[in-house]
């Protein structure tokens, strides 16, 4: 059994967007509250409570301090506290690796989440049902999908994570499935040379073009950033241009992601017969972090997404 993620965009109405905002806000509140409780226990020299203990304590406080949490699914704050536990586990793991000299950089102590840095998201578990053009979730009901016939309908669903990015809402499904064993590829060996002017040059003569997602939109991005910086902080105009700037950044990221996905799918060619799929793909090993230190080429190298 293998876990696989499927991510699609949702087509929500105003009422559903409000409900998703409430769920995301409650998940963020539970995460921040749990982090404060853990730090309080640590300051007193007590063992930090885990997600299960925090959830029991949060349920006892809902009626008096957090009555608005009754308007959302219990999974949103519960899964947020589980994520907090995982964040501390990764932090302590990196601390141990750093003591052994196997980790460089920051260990990433869990930080409080601010709405100014993004709405965020939430995760739901339980009864998840996928239909042709929609998906049914606990407490949120039936949500329409932008694309149909993509999500698996007859598979075991683990969880659904809903996130917001630049005004668009997405759902990621964790699906437990038994993949079919593919036939071994018997095609030729391919060598791939990565570059900046051309995204990749393949040994069979193909050249994969670089979409240049950032340079083509750099002037507009700079203009929007300049307009945004000139608006008064806290004003409605600043929020409006903040949304426009976020949409432009998302557009650039989507163009880059689409080009990389098409390039890798074309190289692997998993839908072609076994004799047309490459048996081995060899890609040069580049020191990308070192190349990014070149101030003349760093923007172009980062835009390629090596």
């Amino acid at each position: 059994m293998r876990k696989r993620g499927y991510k699609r965009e949702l087509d929500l109405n105003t009422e559903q967007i409000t409900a998703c905002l409430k769920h995301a806000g409650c998940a963020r509140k539970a995460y921040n509250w749990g982090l404060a409780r853990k730090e309080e226990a640590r300051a007193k020299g007590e063992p930090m409570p885990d997600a299960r203990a925090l959830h029991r304590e949060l349920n006892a406080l809902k009626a008096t301090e957090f009555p608005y949490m009754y308007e959302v699914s219990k999974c949103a704050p519960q899964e947020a506290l589980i994520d907090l536990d995982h964040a501390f586990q990764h932090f302590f793991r990196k601390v141990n690796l750093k003591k052994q000299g196997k980790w460089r950089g920051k260990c990433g102590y869990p930080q409080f989440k601010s709405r100014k840095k993004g709405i965020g998201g939430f995760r739901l578990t339980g009864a998840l049902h996928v239909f042709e053009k929609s998906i049914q979730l606990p407490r949120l009901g039936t949500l329409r999908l932008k694309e149909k016939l993509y999500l698996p309908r007859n598979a075991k669903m683990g969880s659904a994570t809903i996130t917001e990015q630049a005004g668009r809402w997405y759902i990621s499904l964790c699906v437990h499935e038994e993949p079919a064993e593919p036939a071994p590829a018997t095609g030729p060996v391919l060598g791939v040379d990565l570059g900046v002017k051309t995204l990749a040059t393949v040994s069979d003569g193909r050249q994969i073009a670089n979409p240049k997602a950032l340079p083509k939109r750099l002037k507009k991005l700079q203009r929007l950033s300049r307009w945004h910086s000139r608006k008064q902080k806290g004003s409605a105009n600043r929020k409006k241009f903040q949304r426009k700037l976020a949409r432009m950044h998302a557009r650039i990221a989507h163009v880059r992601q689409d080009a990389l996905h098409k390039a890798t799918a074309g190289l692997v060619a998993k839908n072609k017969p076994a004799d047309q799929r490459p048996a081995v793909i060899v890609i040069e090993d580049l020191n990308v972090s070192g190349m990014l230190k070149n101030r003349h080429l760093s923007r172009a190298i980062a835009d390629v997404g090596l």
Side-chain angles (χ1 to χ4, degrees), residues 288-303:
V288 180
S289 59
M291 295 167 64
L292 289 174
K293 294 179 182 179
N294 185 336
R295 63 188 182 92
H296 300 289
L297 296 174
S298 58
R299 178 185 290 173
I301 292 171
D303 183 57

Side-chain angles (χ1 to χ4, degrees), residues 250-271:
R251 172 65 179 169
I252 293 171
H254 291 163
V255 170
R256 185 184 299 115
Q257 184 181 12
D258 180 69
L260 292 173
H261 177 68
K262 288 178 179 177
T264 52
L267 290 173
V268 176
K270 67 176 183 178
N271 292 327

Side-chain angles (χ1 to χ4, degrees), residues 160-180:
T161 304
I162 297 179
T163 54
E164 185 269 349
Q165 183 186 11
R168 295 185 175 186
W169 289 89
Y170 299 88
I171 183 168
S172 300
L173 282 181
C174 178
V175 180
H176 302 264
E177 60 184 9
E178 194 68 42

Side-chain angles (χ1 to χ4, degrees), residues 6-12 16-17 19-25 27 73 76 79 83 119-125 128 135-145 159-165 168-174:
Y6 292 83
K7 185 175 181 180
R8 286 292 95 180
E9 186 177 353
L10 293 170
D11 186 12
L12 306 180
Q16 292 168 340
I17 290 176
C20 288
L21 287 173
K22 288 182 179 180
H23 279 75
S73 172
E79 294 296 321
D83 288 343
I119 294 172
F122 57 95
R123 187 165 62 251
L124 300 176
T125 57
L128 310 174
I135 180 170
Q136 187 177 359
L137 301 175
R139 203 62 184 262
L140 290 175
T142 304
L143 308 179
R144 292 200 315 176
L145 298 168
S159 62
T161 304
I162 297 179
T163 54
E164 185 269 349
Q165 183 186 11
R168 295 185 175 186
W169 289 89
Y170 299 88
I171 183 168
S172 300
L173 282 181
C174 178

Side-chain angles (χ1 to χ4, degrees), residues 223-240:
R223 190 183 306 120
L224 284 173
S225 182
R226 190 163 57 247
W227 289 347
H228 171 258
S229 66
R230 289 174 179 173
K231 305 303 175 186
Q232 186 177 359
K233 290 186 177 180
S235 64
N237 267 339
R238 190 177 178 91
K239 291 182 180 179
K240 180 175 71 175

Side-chain angles (χ1 to χ4, degrees), residues 4-304:
R4 184 178 179 185
Y6 292 83
K7 185 175 181 180
R8 286 292 95 180
E9 186 177 353
L10 293 170
D11 186 12
L12 306 180
N13 56 33
T14 306
E15 184 179 351
Q16 292 168 340
I17 290 176
T18 303
C20 288
L21 287 173
K22 288 182 179 180
H23 279 75
C26 288
R28 184 172 57 252
K29 177 64 178 179
Y31 186 95
N32 291 339
W33 174 84
L35 179 55
R37 283 286 296 111
K38 282 179 178 287
E39 289 186 343
E40 181 184 347
R42 190 179 181 185
K44 293 179 180 179
E46 302 173 355
M48 290 191 296
D50 61 356
R52 185 173 299 178
L54 288 173
H55 190 239
R56 285 197 299 266
E57 188 176 343
L58 182 64
N59 284 338
L61 295 174
K62 275 185 182 180
T64 55
E65 296 189 25
F66 312 115
Y68 50 85
M69 287 195 179
Y70 286 116
E71 300 177 13
V72 303
S73 172
K74 65 176 182 179
C75 298
Q78 185 177 6
E79 294 296 321
L81 294 174
I82 293 175
D83 288 343
L84 178 61
D85 268 10
H86 291 163
F88 271 99
Q89 289 172 8
H90 288 302
F91 167 71
F92 290 125
R93 176 179 58 84
K94 292 176 182 177
V95 168
N96 292 330
L97 289 176
K98 196 164 188 176
K99 289 180 180 178
Q100 301 171 15
K102 299 179 181 179
W103 182 265
R104 293 181 179 179
K106 297 181 180 179
C107 296
Y109 186 82
Q111 301 294 320
F112 290 97
K113 295 186 177 182
S114 172
R115 195 183 185 281
K116 294 180 181 178
K117 295 183 179 179
I119 294 172
F122 57 95
R123 187 165 62 251
L124 300 176
T125 57
L128 310 174
H129 302 287
V130 179
F131 304 103
E132 183 179 347
K133 300 180 182 179
S134 60
I135 180 170
Q136 187 177 359
L137 301 175
R139 203 62 184 262
L140 290 175
T142 304
L143 308 179
R144 292 200 315 176
L145 298 168
K146 279 285 183 74
E147 297 176 81
K148 62 178 183 179
L149 298 176
Y150 178 79
L151 298 178
R153 301 177 62 182
N154 299 319
K156 181 182 177 182
M157 305 293 173
S159 62
T161 304
I162 297 179
T163 54
E164 185 269 349
Q165 183 186 11
R168 295 185 175 186
W169 289 89
Y170 299 88
I171 183 168
S172 300
L173 282 181
C174 178
V175 180
H176 302 264
E177 60 184 9
E178 194 68 42
E181 196 67 29
T186 59
V189 176
L190 286 184
V192 183
D193 179 55
L194 304 177
V196 174
K197 210 168 186 180
T198 303
L199 181 62
T201 303
V202 192
S203 58
D204 60 2
R206 284 182 291 170
Q207 285 193 342
I208 302 174
N210 180 9
K212 297 183 179 179
L214 180 61
K216 290 181 180 179
R217 297 162 181 83
L218 184 58
K219 287 187 177 180
K220 190 171 183 179
L221 182 65
Q222 291 173 336
R223 190 183 306 120
L224 284 173
S225 182
R226 190 163 57 247
W227 289 347
H228 171 258
S229 66
R230 289 174 179 173
K231 305 303 175 186
Q232 186 177 359
K233 290 186 177 180
S235 64
N237 267 339
R238 190 177 178 91
K239 291 182 180 179
K240 180 175 71 175
F241 277 93
Q242 184 179 7
R243 289 192 293 268
K244 289 185 178 181
L245 189 61
R247 283 197 293 268
M248 178 55 65
H249 278 291
R251 172 65 179 169
I252 293 171
H254 291 163
V255 170
R256 185 184 299 115
Q257 184 181 12
D258 180 69
L260 292 173
H261 177 68
K262 288 178 179 177
T264 52
L267 290 173
V268 176
K270 67 176 183 178
N271 292 327
K272 292 185 177 181
D275 58 343
Q276 297 181 20
R277 288 188 284 118
V280 178
I281 300 177
V282 183
I283 305 178
E284 60 178 328
D285 186 16
L286 297 174
N287 181 15
V288 180
S289 59
M291 295 167 64
L292 289 174
K293 294 179 182 179
N294 185 336
R295 63 188 182 92
H296 300 289
L297 296 174
S298 58
R299 178 185 290 173
I301 292 171
D303 183 57
V304 174

